[in-house]
Amino acid sequence: RNQSANNQSKKIAVIVSTLNNPWFVFLAQTAAAKAHSLGYETRIFDSQNNTALETDHFENAIASGYKAILLNPTDANGSVVNVNRAKAAGIPVFCMDREVNSANAATSQILSDSYSGSVDVGKYFVQAMHKKGKYAELLGLVSDNNTWNRSKGFHSVVDYYPGLKMVAQQGAEFDENKAMEVMESILQAHPDIEAVFCGNDAMALGAYQALISAGKAGKVKVFGFDGAADVVQSIKDGKIAATGMQFPQVMAQTAAIYADEYFKGKRDFPRKIPVSVELVTQKNVTNYIAFGKKN
Amino acid sequence: MSSNKYRAYLIKFQPLIALIVLCVVLSILSDKFLTADNGWNVMRQISVNICIAVGMTLVVLTSGIDLSVGSVLALCGAITAGLLKNGIEIPSNNLFIGFTVLGAIVMGLLVGSIIGAANGYTITRFKVPPFVATLAMLTIARGLTMLYTKGFPISVLGDNFAQIGTGWFIGIPVPVWISVIVVLAAVAVTSKTPLGRYIYAIGGNENAARLSGININRVKIIVYSMAGALAAVGGMIVTSRLDSAQPNAGISYELDAIAAVVIGGTSLSGGRGSIWGTVLGAVIIGVLNNGLVLLNVSPFWQQVVKGLVILLAVIIDKANSKND
Amino acid sequence: MSSNKYRAYLIKFQPLIALIVLCVVLSILSDKFLTADNGWNVMRQISVNICIAVGMTLVVLTSGIDLSVGSVLALCGAITAGLLKNGIEIPSNNLFIGFTVLGAIVMGLLVGSIIGAANGYTITRFKVPPFVATLAMLTIARGLTMLYTKGFPISVLGDNFAQIGTGWFIGIPVPVWISVIVVLAAVAVTSKTPLGRYIYAIGGNENAARLSGININRVKIIVYSMAGALAAVGGMIVTSRLDSAQPNAGISYELDAIAAVVIGGTSLSGGRGSIWGTVLGAVIIGVLNNGLVLLNVSPFWQQVVKGLVILLAVIIDKANSKND
Amino acid sequence: MLVAQNITKKFSGVTALDNVCLELYAGKVNAILGENGAGKSTLMKILSGVYPDYEGKVLLNGKQVNFSNPREAQHAGIAIIHQELNLVSHLSITENVFLGREIVNSWGMLNKQAMHNKTRELLNRLKLSVGADTLVVDLKVGQQQVVEIAKALLTDCDVIIMDEPTSAISESEVDVLFEIIEDLRRENKAIVYISHKLDELFKIADRYIVLRDGCTIESGDMKGMTHDALIHKMVGRELNVIQKGDNRSADAPLLSVQHINLQHPENSKRLLLKDLSFNLFKGEVLGIFGLMGAGRTELLETIFGLNHQSANGELQVEQKAVNFKSPAEAMKAGITLVPEDRKKHGLILGLDVKTNIGLTTLETMQSFGWLNEAKEERLAKKYIEVLKIKTPSTTQTVKNLSGGNQQKVVLAKCLATGPKVLMLDEPTRGIDINAKNEIYKLIRELAADGLGVIVVSSELPEILAISDRILVMAEGNLTAEFTAAEATEDKILKAAIPNSI
Ligand SMILES: Nc1ncnc2c1ncn2[C@@H]1O[C@H](COP(=O)(O)OP(=O)(O)OP(=O)(O)O)[C@@H](O)[C@H]1O
Ligand SMILES: Nc1ncnc2c1ncn2[C@@H]1O[C@H](COP(=O)(O)OP(=O)(O)OP(=O)(O)O)[C@@H](O)[C@H]1O
Ligand SMILES: [Mg+2]
Ligand SMILES: [Mg+2]
């Protein structure tokens, strides 16, 4: 029928917490691409990790007639008001990757469970370290609560093992260069660390660079999070021990498809769809590609 | 009309040209632009920047600058939210102090002006260049925010508080009311009080001002604490709009504020400029952000376009101003 | 010693006091601080900031400022990396141009100086205040970086290129060599050439400089393109050290650079200061960052401490300088 | 050799020049006279390429020239000493003198030694005894003006324009300058000499050109010209020179200064003021004379509370001991200062006349923190009237007033505070005869109204003309005191010359 026609009239907004990090760029672009392939006009909004800016984006999107919003929230609590604002305007919101703390604000939330993901990384960490040894942790943006979700998930496991001592916990802003510099200094203070857990893959790569220039590559195990291309490769090469693979592609596409179904009249969406984070190690790395599974 | 009035007039209204051009273009390109809803959105969105930029204008007029406003906004927002939510607890002698919405807000504004005064003090007492003093404060205040919030947002602050950011009053959003009041007050101060004259005089020629018996340090400290307080006001609006205080709120807001000030035709070397100009500057930036969305410009291109337009706006200013 | 030499000398060495104090404190608190390895680390880490800050010093001496350095660093790094990895392809008439390491670097530096020149041009030709012109460029260059990289890092650039950031040459890391050369060159320019004189003169009294027949615009454009080129150099180092160009590299580097300049005793109102001072300033900041991590100060406190130390350093400067 | 034809120059608001013509002859000193605001400086700025846009023609040796910037004028052989100092304060004398025309070696590197030596020569020739590496900030206004002269003499030009070169320097330097001008004349250069000090013109000038309100009135040979004739041409009416009636009251001193010492800002060993004591009585005009660098400015500044860290000694206003920590306090006690350098310390150049005049008394013009703008306006109008300030309106930007009128604005600002003691540092620097006389008259009137007035000046005639009592300073010491009756030029000069020379 004239479906494609009335799709033309419908616009879908993709509001993403930041584009300063390839992982989110990928998430946003996949979502936009999928929605586009389903015949919708789409646009990406960059909230720059600023919930206030996200609010502006919501207002502007609503005012300029977007009919659905695929959201990657900046903050679980802060974004609630925004989602509710959209809901009030009768616009469905589909959360990707990060959740908003509200039972029924969003039409559906397709979530990557950072917490349990980092729990898995923690478990593997313990096993790889044989339950003992000194290690360091690189946090992301200390002002960003997702940083803490991952850190907490990790520690919820690791802290049970008295043999594992965290000798340094420093912030590196999810930034590769910063991570490298911080790691260089940590290695000075604690030449004897045997592992480092990084809040994301960019920092893992930075930490690895630091290890190289300190001649410690291979002697210190690096653990990351996300599943970025370079890291998947590094795991193959045995440079990086493990990472928590998230599935931005799956989440983004599901969200886009849901939006499409919503327009087609479907309403009974599952409130939450957890997309589990999978542990990628040298053993199983061959099954994975950047941000996803081989198929 | 005397050359000076004429000049003041120019400074006040050059940016208008840029703004009008912008609006015309936008309303041609998008039918959504000139709608009431959108209008209110833009005004609500710029209200925060206006509060900050007005304070910045006062500082810049004394040939200073305040880079700490963004962090101050975050800190004051967090403190108000914290006091509202948890009050002050002193477990040792299990004492608990609760706060009313008003009380919490007052505290927030107080902290803002104290930090501002601290800026003013280091600048006047130790002759630290404003750029450095406030740059240091930018880092310090951000750190304090982290310490206070432990890196987590403080959320769900109650409907009364939410009114500040989201409520309406006689058909106009409350944040807009706030910014209007701030602007009018600032205009009155700059143009109708001795303090205003002193601000311009200090920016124009500090030596001569001193020899005219003006207490430079006092004026500067007042001005910086005003800037701090206004940043705090911005903090209240942001926090209330989100019903949550974000520890990383207000990052790089100082740049938007300064951009507004300069687009408004205020000279960064001090002594010349006006609040009205700044308001126009802020509106231009707000309309621009809004327009780029309406026109569905991709976020990457957006930055490029935004930069170019800001540049253009200032160039138009200069072209029309007879001075220099 | 003539009062001129005397003052230059003061400006040059005041920050040394702050630095020494800092180092003594750190070496007491951490036995790891005063080790050769750590020394090289710090020097490698500050090499980028030194390159940028030297360019910034030249700009600030003319009483200008360049906020765009961070984005320029990112853009040039990305372009060099892109050319190395993918060269230039023009599918239409299926043309492909590959680049040698040297070629790619030259292109990167070229882009840097062109952007710098563009800054200089808008500032001189349209009388746009440097703060605004470069603020706009900050946004524009970042946008271009995003467009060029599509938001994804460009990685695995080959061992030759990696040498720039990670290699050693006669027992000294290459980045350190680069920064040393940059510094010496800048010192020569500022103190031994007419251009240097003009830079100081323009910052000191632009009108007098003009009346002395100096071509202000030319000098400024040169200075800004130098700053751009030096930012590009920084971009090469960062990119090569990570063996990957990050689209979000260099964010807020301008603040570190400016901090270095000011801690180094260069006056933001222009006309007075020295490259050596800036170097000391950069070292202070680098040592501080390093020390805070060595002592494993909590990330929350780090910002507070950093802010306070910067403030202190500048206050010590002022206290020891008889001028002002 | 240099000819200007029908030059017209308009600024926003004012017409500075209204088709002015003049001819400058080689080997002659061409004096240009005119009241403040007559357009002298503007005309010179056109000749030297500062203002490229104007109507009319400029011919150099018969060829029309159109300089688009100062550099071109320099290359064409036109050097100028601007009325207002144009030096880079944080560069050394050498660096300033050679600015824009540095000597470089074959590598394009600066040849500092050569420049240093050349500068030393120049300074010796001008008898300025400071190191060529001294920063300009450390020089006093007078010394800085000598540096400006050195700049103009560096390259040998055919036309040398001097716009009030002697406004800040004292007799001895003036003589040095005149010797140099003689040399230049012998070298057949064309010299343009602008000054408000007529007797100088009679000493040095060959020809005169009179400007009035932007028009050329007359030009001719200096020979056979009389003082009064010139003044008449300038002013367009007769002048009544002031005669003073002694109205000092004998009762207790209004201001009493006891044992004031002041340390040098950079080395506390050196004293700029050494144990100075004197009294000032109601209704008295106290003149303080001294050569450049005698310490007069420091003295006034110290009394005004500007150096309270580095100074010591007792101050009494009407028998009450006071110790000012800031000018604000001094003004509250009824003391006010007209500073030596109006641009640096007197005025907010970017603001308008009204604001500048009102600045000192805003507190009195406010009610509940609100400024009464009507009062402010009235105040400005009053002083524009009283001091005959030449300005299109109360809202004209001070920057655009001529030097003399700017000085009057500063004066107005100080008088507005209704002071008991008025201190003036070089009050008539760069002010024309007519305005000078107005100011003298004013000073006398103020004294008559019971003010105590202190006038610092480097011009002997001025000191003699207006003072009831004269103090002489040399190197920070009080070296002599005369009553008006016993004072003579040579007595005063003898006391002013430091015995170290
Ligand atoms: N930049 C300017 N803008 C506007 N008006 C100006 C400017 N410069 C000078 N004028 C006006 O032009 C007239 C001539 O000024 P000019 O400085 O040439 O007088 P002058 O003869 O040099 O006076 P003085 O003896 O006090 O130096 C004055 O009325 C002055 O107000
Ligand atoms: N900031 C300073 N640094 C160095 N020397 C100074 C400073 N201020 C004043 N002096 C010196 O103090 C002495 C007195 O200077 P001052 O200007 O008071 O003399 P003056 O009689 O007012 O001279 P003028 O005729 O220029 O006003 C001079 O030798 C001057 O060089
Ligand atoms: Mg003049
Ligand atoms: Mg003096």
Side-chain angles (χ1 to χ4, degrees):
Chain A
R1 294 184 282 97
N2 62 353
Q3 182 217 320
S4 65
N6 64 34
N7 282 356
Q8 242 58 54
S9 63
K10 292 203 171 58
K11 297 193 294 180
I12 297 183
V14 179
I15 300 181
V16 62
S17 62
T18 175
L19 289 178
N20 254 337
N21 173 337
W23 193 89
F24 294 101
V25 176
F26 182 82
L27 181 79
Q29 289 181 346
T30 323
K34 184 66 179 177
H36 193 76
S37 70
L38 292 167
Y40 297 95
E41 187 185 330
T42 60
R43 182 181 188 293
I44 298 174
F45 297 73
D46 177 5
S47 306
Q48 296 168 15
N49 284 321
N50 175 348
T51 315
L53 185 55
E54 185 180 272
T55 312
D56 297 351
H57 287 332
F58 265 79
E59 290 177 347
N60 293 338
I62 296 167
S64 47
Y66 285 87
K67 291 281 176 289
I69 292 172
L70 311 185
L71 172 66
N72 169 248
T74 50
D75 174 56
N77 302 311
S79 301
V80 175
V81 264
N82 299 337
V83 178
N84 282 328
R85 189 171 287 118
K87 190 180 185 203
I91 294 173
V93 175
F94 303 89
C95 292
M96 308 177 286
D97 172 47
R98 298 173 173 181
E99 88 181 296
V100 293
N101 290 342
S102 164
N104 50 9
T107 313
S108 175
Q109 306 197 53
I110 304 102
L111 305 173
S112 154
D113 192 341
S114 289
Y115 185 89
S116 65
S118 45
V119 169
D120 298 343
V121 176
K123 287 189 183 129
Y124 180 71
F125 181 91
V126 172
Q127 166 191 349
M129 294 283 290
H130 309 298
K131 301 189 170 61
K132 61 173 173 35
K134 295 183 178 173
Y135 70 95
E137 176 181 9
L138 294 186
L139 299 162
L141 286 165
V142 287
S143 59
D144 168 25
N145 63 341
N146 301 280
T147 300
W148 297 108
N149 290 340
R150 295 179 185 185
S151 179
K152 285 196 160 52
F154 176 77
H155 285 287
S156 67
V157 181
V158 176
D159 292 1
Y160 282 110
Y161 300 87
L164 292 166
K165 266 196 226 46
M166 181 172 72
V167 291
Q169 183 182 43
Q170 290 291 323
E173 295 160 20
F174 289 129
D175 174 59
E176 186 169 345
N177 188 46
K178 192 94 170 63
M180 172 178 62
E181 297 192 347
V182 173
M183 190 62 183
E184 282 175 345
S185 300
I186 291 178
L187 286 171
Q188 290 304 317
H190 310 285
D192 54 348
I193 59 171
E194 296 164 35
V196 53
F197 172 65
C198 307
N200 81 339
D201 278 349
M203 293 195 290
L205 291 164
Y208 186 73
Q209 291 297 331
L211 290 174
I212 294 176
S213 53
K216 285 196 155 57
K219 298 192 188 66
V220 178
K221 300 188 182 62
V222 183
F223 297 79
F225 205 95
D226 275 355
D230 298 347
V231 168
V232 173
Q233 187 54 46
S234 306
I235 294 178
K236 279 204 189 75
D237 308 348
K239 293 174 178 170
I240 286 177
T243 189
M245 172 63 75
Q246 310 196 72
F247 296 91
Q249 191 163 21
V250 179
M251 292 185 281
Q253 290 177 342
T254 322
I257 293 164
Y258 278 17
D260 180 49
E261 290 173 353
Y262 182 94
F263 291 139
K264 297 217 181 75
K266 180 174 177 193
R267 287 293 178 274
D268 56 336
F269 291 99
R271 283 265 163 249
K272 277 190 189 178
I273 304 176
V275 177
S276 66
V277 173
E278 295 180 11
L279 181 73
V280 182
T281 67
Q282 190 141 23
K283 281 192 220 60
N284 63 359
V285 67
T286 44
N287 317 339
Y288 294 89
I289 54 168
F291 303 133
K293 260 205 172 65
K294 282 215 184 82
N295 37 12
Chain B
M1 181 160 49
S2 85
S3 99
N4 187 20
K5 278 232 184 51
Y6 176 62
R7 176 168 294 114
Y9 172 87
L10 271 175
I11 292 179
K12 217 176 285 177
F13 295 112
Q14 283 150 25
L16 207 49
I17 304 160
L19 180 56
I20 293 168
V21 174
L22 192 60
C23 290
V24 171
V25 173
L26 285 176
S27 41
I28 293 169
L29 294 177
S30 156
D31 53 347
K32 295 283 190 314
F33 177 69
L34 276 185
T35 63
D37 273 12
N38 196 47
W40 289 130
N41 280 343
V42 175
M43 290 176 74
R44 212 191 289 104
Q45 288 164 18
I46 62 177
S47 57
V48 175
N49 190 19
I50 282 190
C51 293
I52 300 177
V54 164
M56 189 67 77
T57 312
L58 298 176
V59 173
V60 170
L61 279 174
T62 66
S63 74
I65 196 161
D66 186 348
L67 301 177
S68 66
V69 283
S71 317
V72 173
L73 174 145
L75 179 58
C76 299
I79 286 178
T80 302
L83 293 179
L84 259 178
K85 194 122 197 248
N86 320 326
I88 302 175
E89 283 178 68
I90 302 147
S92 58
N93 42 13
N94 50 29
L95 179 66
F96 173 83
I97 311 166
F99 281 83
T100 64
V101 171
L102 188 63
I105 292 175
V106 170
M107 290 298 287
L109 299 183
L110 206 64
V111 173
S113 37
I114 289 171
I115 294 183
N119 281 332
Y121 183 76
T122 37
I123 290 166
T124 52
R125 170 77 182 71
F126 300 110
K127 307 248 173 310
V128 180
F131 195 103
V132 192
T134 57
L135 178 57
M137 185 56 83
L138 175 152
T139 328
I140 296 172
R142 183 65 58 186
L144 294 175
T145 316
M146 300 298 173
L147 288 166
Y148 185 75
T149 61
K150 305 189 181 46
F152 286 96
I154 304 172
S155 306
V156 192
L157 307 170
D159 296 350
N160 294 344
F161 187 68
Q163 286 307 310
I164 298 169
T166 57
W168 292 66
F169 179 66
I170 16 179
I172 295 176
V174 178
V176 178
W177 277 112
I178 296 176
S179 53
V180 169
I181 292 164
V182 166
V183 168
L184 293 181
V187 170
V189 169
T190 47
S191 59
K192 300 247 172 301
T193 70
L195 179 61
R197 288 278 195 279
Y198 296 155
I199 291 174
Y200 279 89
I202 291 174
N205 178 346
E206 191 162 329
N207 279 322
R210 184 176 294 103
L211 284 173
S212 307
I214 297 173
N215 183 338
I216 310 280
N217 295 2
R218 196 173 125 272
V219 174
K220 280 189 177 172
I221 292 178
I222 293 177
V223 167
Y224 279 93
S225 44
M226 281 179 170
L230 287 172
V233 173
M236 301 304 132
I237 299 178
V238 173
T239 312
S240 143
R241 274 183 81 191
L242 301 173
D243 190 26
S244 129
Q246 298 288 318
N248 59 354
I251 286 176
S252 82
Y253 276 23
E254 66 278 2
L255 294 183
D256 274 1
I258 294 168
V261 171
V262 184
I263 293 176
T266 296
S267 138
L268 283 170
S269 47
R272 287 172 35 226
S274 75
I275 299 290
W276 287 120
T278 300
V279 173
L280 287 175
V283 175
I284 289 176
I285 296 174
V287 168
L288 185 58
N289 289 334
N290 173 262
L292 290 171
V293 173
L294 295 184
L295 299 182
N296 193 0
V297 180
S298 95
F300 294 163
W301 276 111
Q302 227 178 91
Q303 296 178 290
V304 180
V305 177
K306 192 173 166 188
L308 289 173
V309 174
I310 290 182
L311 215 49
L312 224 68
V314 177
I315 292 177
I316 295 178
D317 279 17
K318 290 286 161 187
N320 293 46
S321 84
K322 288 277 148 293
N323 35 357
D324 301 352
Chain C
M1 181 159 50
S2 86
S3 99
N4 184 15
K5 289 232 178 52
Y6 175 63
R7 174 163 294 123
Y9 172 87
L10 268 176
I11 291 178
K12 218 176 283 175
F13 294 111
Q14 283 151 27
L16 207 49
I17 305 162
L19 179 57
I20 291 168
V21 173
L22 190 60
C23 290
V24 170
V25 172
L26 285 177
S27 41
I28 292 169
L29 293 178
S30 157
D31 54 346
K32 298 292 188 311
F33 176 69
L34 276 185
T35 62
D37 274 9
N38 195 47
W40 289 130
N41 273 335
V42 175
M43 289 176 75
R44 215 191 287 107
Q45 289 173 11
I46 60 178
S47 57
V48 175
N49 189 18
I50 283 190
C51 294
I52 301 177
V54 164
M56 189 67 78
T57 312
L58 299 177
V59 172
V60 170
L61 279 174
T62 66
S63 74
I65 195 161
D66 186 349
L67 300 177
S68 66
V69 283
S71 318
V72 173
L73 175 144
L75 179 58
C76 300
I79 287 178
T80 302
L83 293 180
L84 260 178
K85 194 119 198 253
N86 320 327
I88 303 175
E89 284 177 66
I90 302 147
S92 57
N93 43 12
N94 50 28
L95 179 66
F96 173 82
I97 311 166
F99 280 84
T100 64
V101 172
L102 189 62
I105 292 175
V106 170
M107 290 299 286
L109 299 182
L110 205 65
V111 172
S113 38
I114 289 172
I115 294 183
N119 282 331
Y121 183 76
T122 38
I123 291 166
T124 52
R125 172 73 181 73
F126 301 109
K127 306 248 172 309
V128 180
F131 195 103
V132 194
T134 57
L135 178 56
M137 186 57 84
L138 175 151
T139 329
I140 296 172
R142 182 64 59 185
L144 293 175
T145 315
M146 289 301 184
L147 288 167
Y148 184 76
T149 61
K150 304 187 181 51
F152 293 98
I154 305 173
S155 307
V156 192
L157 308 169
D159 296 350
N160 293 344
F161 186 69
Q163 285 306 311
I164 297 169
T166 56
W168 292 66
F169 179 65
I170 11 179
I172 296 176
V174 178
V176 179
W177 276 112
I178 295 175
S179 53
V180 169
I181 292 164
V182 166
V183 168
L184 293 180
V187 169
V189 169
T190 47
S191 61
K192 301 238 173 306
T193 68
L195 178 61
R197 283 287 164 79
Y198 301 160
I199 291 174
Y200 279 91
I202 291 174
N205 180 344
E206 186 160 335
N207 195 27
R210 184 176 294 103
L211 290 176
S212 308
I214 294 173
N215 183 338
I216 311 276
N217 295 1
R218 200 173 124 273
V219 174
K220 282 188 176 173
I221 291 178
I222 293 176
V223 166
Y224 279 93
S225 46
M226 281 179 170
L230 287 171
V233 173
M236 301 304 131
I237 298 179
V238 173
T239 311
S240 145
R241 287 195 73 191
L242 299 173
D243 188 26
S244 116
Q246 302 285 319
N248 61 341
I251 286 176
S252 83
Y253 277 22
E254 65 278 3
L255 294 183
D256 273 1
I258 293 167
V261 171
V262 185
I263 294 176
T266 296
S267 139
L268 283 171
S269 48
R272 293 162 47 207
S274 75
I275 299 290
W276 289 120
T278 300
V279 173
L280 286 176
V283 175
I284 289 177
I285 296 173
V287 168
L288 186 57
N289 287 335
N290 172 261
L292 290 171
V293 176
L294 287 186
L295 303 178
N296 194 26
V297 177
S298 106
F300 294 157
W301 279 109
Q302 270 187 35
Q303 295 178 288
V304 181
V305 176
K306 196 170 163 188
L308 289 173
V309 173
I310 290 181
L311 213 51
L312 226 67
V314 177
I315 292 178
I316 295 177
D317 279 18
K318 291 281 162 189
N320 292 46
S321 85
K322 287 273 148 297
N323 34 354
D324 301 351
Chain D
M1 65 183 304
L2 183 64
V3 182
Q5 295 175 347
N6 314 76
I7 302 285
T8 300
K9 172 78 181 166
K10 291 194 180 59
F11 293 106
S12 55
V14 270
T15 304
L17 296 172
D18 181 1
N19 78 70
V20 168
C21 305
L22 91 167
E23 295 187 8
L24 304 178
Y25 297 92
K28 290 200 185 312
V29 176
N30 309 266
I32 299 185
L33 305 80
E35 295 184 70
N36 295 127
K40 306 181 293 294
S41 301
T42 309
L43 182 56
M44 295 307 118
K45 284 178 178 162
I46 287 171
L47 295 182
S48 59
V50 177
Y51 294 143
D53 53 337
Y54 55 87
E55 300 152 41
K57 300 217 272 308
V58 178
L59 305 169
L60 180 59
N61 302 323
K63 290 187 293 328
Q64 171 158 9
V65 287
N66 210 332
F67 307 126
S68 53
N69 60 46
R71 167 170 247 140
E72 291 181 10
Q74 254 183 40
H75 288 321
I78 300 177
I80 178 165
I81 302 168
H82 287 282
Q83 176 174 13
E84 52 289 305
L85 296 166
N86 285 296
L87 299 170
V88 184
S89 17
H90 286 279
L91 292 183
S92 72
I93 296 178
T94 312
E95 289 164 337
N96 271 285
V97 169
F98 278 89
L99 194 55
R101 36 196 177 167
E102 288 77 3
I103 304 175
V104 295
N105 61 21
S106 43
W107 302 68
M109 294 286 166
L110 294 169
N111 182 341
K112 293 186 179 173
Q113 198 50 48
M115 293 190 278
H116 180 87
N117 297 339
K118 188 83 182 73
T119 310
R120 267 229 313 282
E121 278 173 37
L122 276 171
L123 294 184
N124 293 339
R125 189 172 164 201
L126 290 163
K127 304 209 172 46
L128 182 63
S129 56
V130 293
D133 289 339
T134 320
L135 293 191
V136 166
V137 266
D138 296 336
L139 301 177
K140 306 310 301 176
V141 188
Q143 299 167 312
Q144 291 183 9
Q145 195 155 41
V146 177
V147 175
E148 281 282 4
I149 296 170
K151 263 179 91 170
L153 295 180
L154 176 64
T155 56
D156 85 302
C157 293
D158 312 332
V159 184
I160 294 148
I161 301 169
M162 304 183 174
D163 193 347
E164 301 190 27
T166 57
S167 58
I169 62 181
S170 57
E171 318 294 348
S172 45
E173 284 86 4
V174 174
D175 297 339
V176 176
L177 178 63
F178 283 4
E179 287 167 27
I180 289 165
I181 292 180
E182 292 294 348
D183 300 346
L184 294 170
R185 174 161 39 193
R186 259 181 249 104
E187 296 161 23
N188 198 38
K189 316 263 188 207
I191 299 120
V192 180
Y193 191 90
I194 299 179
S195 174
H196 292 298
K197 305 178 182 173
L198 290 180
D199 40 2
E200 285 182 6
L201 300 184
F202 280 102
K203 250 190 257 161
I204 194 75
D206 307 307
R207 312 192 71 263
Y208 67 87
I209 299 119
V210 178
L211 294 186
R212 193 195 307 152
D213 303 333
C215 310
T216 24
I217 297 306
E218 187 183 313
S219 61
D221 273 329
M222 208 63 181
K223 256 191 231 62
M225 256 299 160
T226 67
H227 225 277
D228 300 353
L230 271 184
I231 293 175
H232 183 78
K233 293 189 196 318
M234 273 169 60
V235 184
R237 65 189 169 290
E238 296 300 339
L239 270 178
N240 49 337
V241 178
I242 56 128
Q243 65 285 80
K244 57 185 165 193
D246 189 343
N247 45 21
R248 78 180 264 194
S249 60
D251 57 11
L254 178 57
L255 170 74
S256 134
V257 178
Q258 299 303 329
H259 311 294
I260 284 209
N261 291 297
L262 176 68
Q263 297 163 346
H264 189 284
E266 263 144 42
N267 81 56
S268 46
K269 301 280 169 307
R270 192 179 140 201
L271 286 181
L272 297 180
L273 297 178
K274 310 192 187 87
D275 190 41
L276 291 176
S277 306
F278 65 89
N279 291 332
L280 173 72
F281 295 90
K282 267 172 122 301
E284 159 179 68
V285 177
L286 176 64
I288 302 182
F289 181 79
L291 301 183
M292 184 187 79
R296 297 161 299 172
T297 297
E298 268 63 22
L299 174 59
L300 299 193
E301 288 178 350
T302 307
I303 295 173
F304 199 48
L306 274 165
N307 313 336
H308 79 281
Q309 286 103 338
S310 46
N312 58 48
E314 295 94 56
L315 267 186
Q316 288 186 0
V317 181
E318 297 172 325
Q319 279 81 22
K320 284 189 298 300
V322 289
N323 173 19
F324 305 132
K325 290 186 194 51
S326 72
E329 297 179 24
M331 289 170 103
K332 280 199 186 56
I335 298 183
T336 169
L337 168 70
V338 176
E340 175 177 21
D341 182 339
R342 54 178 168 260
K343 281 202 165 67
K344 268 225 231 64
H345 302 116
L347 294 164
I348 319 260
L349 290 168
L351 293 182
D352 58 16
V353 174
K354 180 185 69 194
T355 316
N356 271 284
I357 294 179
L359 207 51
T360 49
T361 49
L362 289 179
E363 258 72 8
T364 66
M365 296 188 286
Q366 70 173 351
S367 45
F368 316 110
W370 293 103
L371 186 62
N372 180 336
E373 289 179 87
K375 271 192 191 167
E376 195 187 20
E377 182 74 21
R378 247 181 280 121
L379 184 78
K381 283 234 162 57
K382 172 177 156 213
Y383 280 104
I384 290 175
E385 167 88 36
V386 175
L387 305 183
K388 305 199 176 56
I389 300 172
K390 185 158 173 261
T391 168
S393 80
T394 56
T395 52
Q396 167 70 301
T397 315
V398 185
K399 182 174 65 208
N400 300 340
L401 295 185
S402 75
N405 288 303
Q406 290 182 347
Q407 183 69 333
K408 292 182 186 174
V409 173
V410 181
L411 203 55
K413 177 177 104 171
C414 292
L415 293 178
T417 63
K420 299 196 194 78
V421 176
L422 175 63
M423 305 190 290
L424 308 109
D425 195 351
E426 312 283 2
T428 62
R429 175 169 292 173
I431 293 188
D432 65 57
I433 286 283
N434 192 23
K436 250 183 195 167
N437 276 290
E438 288 166 7
I439 289 186
Y440 294 159
K441 227 177 24 297
L442 206 92
I443 292 177
R444 297 306 317 180
E445 288 165 13
L446 291 167
D449 302 348
L451 261 74
V453 184
I454 301 179
V455 179
V456 160
S457 172
S458 308
E459 288 181 53
L460 263 174
E462 175 165 298
I463 288 281
L464 288 165
I466 55 171
S467 318
D468 300 316
R469 198 152 56 94
I470 298 167
L471 299 180
V472 186
M473 287 182 65
E475 296 184 318
N477 298 302
L478 260 186
T479 50
E481 169 170 355
F482 307 97
T483 64
E486 62 200 30
T488 66
E489 297 223 0
D490 48 358
K491 272 194 206 163
I492 293 177
L493 268 177
K494 219 178 258 90
I497 311 273
N499 36 21
S500 54
I501 296 175

